[in-house]
C-alpha cells in the first residue's frame, strides 16, 4: 500500500464584496487565516468499503460503496451523513473519481480522515469550513492518486465538487484557501458550471474557459493588523444566500445600486492594498460595513445581528475599522487595527461585550500566477 497523503487548507474571512460577489464577474476581497482543516488519504482494503470517512465531527466512521448514483452509505451507516456533514468530502471523491473514469484511469479503495480547527466545541466559527474541507480533500486525494495539479487546476476541481453540493456560494472562500494571503476574486457562473459538468463531464468542463473568473493575490496592508472576533453563534451562508433572492428589497434599483456601490468599495480596497495607503483601506472597510447595514435594512435579511453590531462598535471605539465578515447572521467579524493602537484593549473590550477574540494570523500567499478573467461572447463554461 502507498504511504498516507496529508494535506491541509486554511480558514478564510471576507474583507469586502459580500453578496455582490454572488453575481458572476462581481469583485470581492478575502483573506486566508491560520486555522486549518487537515485531510489524510490512505489505502484501505476493498472488502471493508470503497471509501471510508472518519472525522472529528462524527462519533464513528462511515463506510461508502460506489453505485451508479454515486457514493452511498453501507447498511448500518447513517445515509443522511452523505448529504449532510460529509457532503463536500463525498462530492470531492465523486468528482475526482468521475474525472478518472472519464480519463480511463483506475480507482482505489481509500480512507479519508478529516480533522478541523475551524470549529469550537463542534460549532463552526464562520471561517469557511466547507471551502477548507473541499480544498484539502481535493489536494489530498489528487496527490494520493499521483495527479499533478497546478494551483488553478486544484481550485477548478474543488469548485466543480463544491457546485455539485450547492451552486449558490460564490467560491471566494475556495479562492482564498487555495491562493492564500489576501486575494482579489471575481466569480464564474456556478450554475453554468454545474450544468456543463452534468452535460459534458468533469474532464471537459475542468479545462474549458470559465468566463468572469479572476483571482489575483494582493499585498498585505502595512501598519494595520487583522483581528477577528466570534459572535458565539453559527450562521448558514447557504440559507442566507437563498433567502436573499426572495426578498423584495433585492430587486430593481436597490439591487443595482448595491452592486455598483459594492464594486466601487472593493476596488478601493484593492487599490489601497496595492498602493499601501492604510487610511484609504480603513475608510473602505467602513464603507463595506455601511453597505451591509444598508442591505440588511432594505431586505430585513438578518445580516447584522446585535452581537455583530457590538463587535463593530467596540472595535471602532478602539480605533479600528470593523465589519461583519461573510454572510452575517452570526459567525465572525473583522477589525483592522492600526499598529500603534492597543490590541490587548480591543480584545478585553470584545470579551467584556460577549465577543470571543480568535487568535488568528494571515497565512502567507502562494506563488501561484494571477488568473485573469476572460471576455467571451457566450458566458457558458462549455462554449
Amino acid at each position: 500500500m502507498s504511504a498516507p497523503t496529508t494535506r491541509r487548507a486554511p480558514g478564510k474571512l471576507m474583507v469586502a464584496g459580500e453578496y455582490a460577489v454572488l453575481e458572476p464577474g462581481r469583485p470581492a476581497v478575502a483573506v486566508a487565516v491560520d486555522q486549518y482543516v487537515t485531510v489524510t488519504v490512505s489505502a484501505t482494503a476493498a472488502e471493508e468499503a470503497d471509501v471510508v470517512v472518519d472525522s472529528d465531527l462524527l462519533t464513528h466512521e462511515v463506510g461508502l460503496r460506489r453505485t451508479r448514483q454515486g457514493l452511498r452509505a453501507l447498511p448500518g451507516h447513517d445515509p443522511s451523513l452523505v448529504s449532510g456533514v460529509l457532503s463536500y468530502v463525498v462530492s470531492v471523491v465523486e468528482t475526482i473519481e468521475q474525472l478518472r473514469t472519464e480519463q480511463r484511469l483506475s480507482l482505489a479503495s481509500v480512507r479519508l480522515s478529516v480533522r478541523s480547527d475551524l470549529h469550537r466545541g463542534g460549532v463552526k466559527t464562520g471561517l469557511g469550513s466547507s471551502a477548507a474541507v473541499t480544498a484539502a480533500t481535493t489536494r489530498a486525494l489528487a496527490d494520493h492518486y499521483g495527479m499533478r495539479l497546478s494551483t488553478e487546476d486544484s481550485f477548478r476541481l474543488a469548485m466543480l465538487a463544491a457546485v455539485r453540493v450547492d451552486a449558490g456560494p460564490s467560491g471566494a472562500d475556495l479562492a482564498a484557501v487555495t491562493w492564500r494571503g489576501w486575494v482579489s476574486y471575481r466569480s464564474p457562473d456556478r450554475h453554468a458550471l454545474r450544468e456543463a459538468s452534468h452535460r459534458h463531464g468533469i474532464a471537459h468542463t475542468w479545462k474549458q474557459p470559465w468566463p468572469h473568473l479572476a483571482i489575483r493575490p494582493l499585498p498585505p496592508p502595512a501598519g494595520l493588523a487583522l483581528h477577528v472576533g466570534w459572535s458565539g453563534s453559527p450562521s448558514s451562508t447557504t440559507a442566507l444566500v437563498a433567502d436573499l433572492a426572495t426578498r423584495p428589497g433585492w430587486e430593481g434599483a436597490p439591487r443595482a445600486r448595491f452592486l455598483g456601490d459594492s464594486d466601487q468599495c472593493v476596488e478601493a480596497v484593492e487599490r489601497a492594498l496595492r498602493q499601501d495607503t492604510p487610511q484609504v483601506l480603513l475608510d473602505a472597510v467602513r464603507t463595506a460595513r455601511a453597505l451591509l447595514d444598508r442591505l440588511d435594512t432594505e431586505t430585513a435579511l438578518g445580516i447584522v445581528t446585535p452581537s455583530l453590531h457590538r463587535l463593530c462598535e467596540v472595535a471602532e471605539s478602539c480605533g479600528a475599522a470593523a465589519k461583519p465578515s461573510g454572510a452575517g447572521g452570526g459567525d465572525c467579524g473583522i477589525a483592522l487595527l492600526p499598529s500603534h493602537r492597543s490590541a490587548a484593549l480591543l480584545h478585553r473590550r470584545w470579551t467584556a461585550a460577549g465577543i470571543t477574540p480568535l487568535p488568528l494570523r494571515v497565512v502567507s500567499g502562494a506563488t501561484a500566477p494571477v488568473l485573469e478573467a476572460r471576455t467571451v461572447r457566450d458566458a457558458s463554461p462549455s462554449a
Side-chain angles (χ1 to χ4, degrees), residues 17-223:
E18 292 94 340
Y19 289 102
V21 73
L22 298 171
E23 303 280 336
R26 298 285 182 176
V29 171
V31 62
V33 291
D34 65 343
Q35 288 187 1
Y36 295 87
V37 169
T38 302
V39 177
T40 299
V41 179
S42 56
T44 188
E47 57 270 16
E48 182 179 359
D50 294 319
V51 177
V52 177
V53 183
D54 72 81
S55 167
D56 56 358
L57 299 179
L58 300 176
T59 58
H60 56 83
E61 64 184 29
V62 178
L64 306 170
R65 284 287 186 190
R66 298 182 182 108
T67 73
R68 290 184 178 180
Q69 292 74 42
L71 292 174
R72 295 294 182 267
L74 293 175
H77 294 248
D78 185 355
S80 68
L81 296 175
V82 175
S83 59
V85 68
L86 296 180
S87 58
Y88 285 93
V89 173
V90 168
S91 186
V92 170
V93 176
E94 290 178 339
T95 300
I96 289 179
E97 291 193 347
Q98 182 180 335
L99 174 64
R100 291 184 65 80
T101 299
E102 291 171 3
Q103 295 174 331
R104 299 183 180 180
L105 298 172
S106 63
L107 305 179
S109 297
V110 294
R111 171 182 290 273
L112 294 94
S113 297
V114 182
R115 301 292 179 265
S116 174
D117 299 335
L118 307 186
H119 294 75
R120 296 176 69 90
V123 178
K124 76 179 189 70
T125 51
L127 297 177
S129 56
S130 296
V133 76
T134 302
T137 304
T138 298
R139 180 58 76 175
L141 186 57
D143 287 354
H144 191 76
Y145 270 124
M147 301 166 64
R148 297 183 179 275
L149 300 184
S150 66
T151 302
E152 181 182 346
D153 285 339
S154 184
F155 167 81
R156 284 168 165 263
L157 204 51
M159 177 70 97
L160 290 177
V163 300
R164 289 165 67 116
V165 179
D166 185 3
S170 69
D173 48 2
L174 270 176
V177 306
T178 302
W179 263 257
R180 307 189 178 192
W182 295 73
V183 176
S184 166
Y185 175 77
R186 284 158 176 75
S187 62
D189 186 329
R190 287 84 60 204
H191 293 279
L193 289 178
R194 184 166 63 182
E195 175 63 25
S197 63
H198 286 325
R199 182 173 297 180
H200 304 291
I202 298 297
H204 175 86
T205 308
W206 184 36
K207 293 298 185 180
Q208 287 296 299
W210 291 4
H212 308 298
L213 172 64
I215 303 171
R216 178 182 291 274
L218 294 167

Side-chain angles (χ1 to χ4, degrees), residues 19 123-130 230-241 301-305 308 325-332:
Y19 289 102
V123 178
K124 76 179 189 70
T125 51
L127 297 177
S129 56
S130 296
W230 183 44
S231 69
S233 60
S235 174
S236 171
T237 299
T238 296
L240 285 165
V241 167
L301 197 60
I303 297 169
V304 184
T305 64
L308 287 174
S325 176
D331 288 341
C332 290

Side-chain angles (χ1 to χ4, degrees), residues 253-333:
R255 176 176 180 171
R257 182 164 63 107
F258 174 79
L259 293 175
D261 290 346
S262 179
D263 285 356
Q264 292 182 20
C265 176
V266 174
E267 288 164 5
V269 170
E270 294 176 354
R271 187 166 57 251
L273 288 168
R274 289 195 304 267
Q275 297 177 357
D276 190 18
T277 50
Q279 188 57 53
V280 174
L281 180 57
L282 294 173
D283 291 342
V285 168
R286 292 186 175 107
T287 298
R289 177 191 175 189
L291 288 175
L292 289 176
D293 285 342
R294 189 180 80 197
L295 179 64
D296 202 21
T297 298
E298 293 176 343
T299 63
L301 197 60
I303 297 169
V304 184
T305 64
S307 59
L308 287 174
H309 179 76
R310 287 197 307 274
L311 182 155
C312 294
E313 290 299 299
V314 168
E316 291 285 348
S317 75
C318 294
K323 61 179 288 293
S325 176
D331 288 341
C332 290

